[in-house]
Amino acid sequence: MLLQADSVKYIKENIDDETIDLVIFDPPWGINADDIADARGPRGEKIFYDDSEKTSKNLIHTLMPELYRIMKADSHMYM
């Protein structure tokens, strides 16, 4: 299943504790990639997103406890 949503909000509202076997997480790395890359959407439009260090750290610190909560014991996370 592939979803496009606010990850923290979606996980909190829709996923029960210890129900996920595997998490693949590719977080923003806080390297300002939006300044150095020419990202384009499906219709060729320029895509802007905040990949600043502050925003990236905030997302990771907010999302990691939720990911831990939903993962089953002995499950895996690839980051």
Side-chain angles (χ1 to χ4, degrees):
M1 174 172 36
L2 181 63
L3 300 169
Q4 181 177 353
D6 177 318
S7 56
V8 177
K9 181 179 177 182
Y10 183 86
I11 290 170
K12 283 182 178 182
E13 294 176 357
N14 298 289
I15 303 180
D16 294 329
D17 295 356
E18 299 182 15
T19 56
I20 302 298
D21 295 304
L22 172 68
V23 171
I24 301 172
F25 179 38
D26 184 17
W29 292 103
I31 58 171
N32 291 318
D34 52 320
D35 291 341
I36 60 175
D38 186 22
R40 299 284 174 179
R43 291 180 283 294
E45 71 276 15
K46 180 83 172 157
I47 297 173
F48 296 96
Y49 59 94
D50 186 357
D51 185 40
S52 67
E53 182 178 355
K54 180 181 178 181
T55 300
S56 299
K57 283 183 178 180
N58 184 45
L59 173 65
I60 291 168
H61 287 283
T62 305
L63 189 55
M64 291 302 283
E66 288 302 315
L67 294 175
Y68 182 78
R69 176 188 65 78
I70 65 173
M71 293 172 67
K72 292 179 182 177
D74 298 323
S75 59
H76 292 265
M77 176 188 289
Y78 298 105
M79 194 169 151

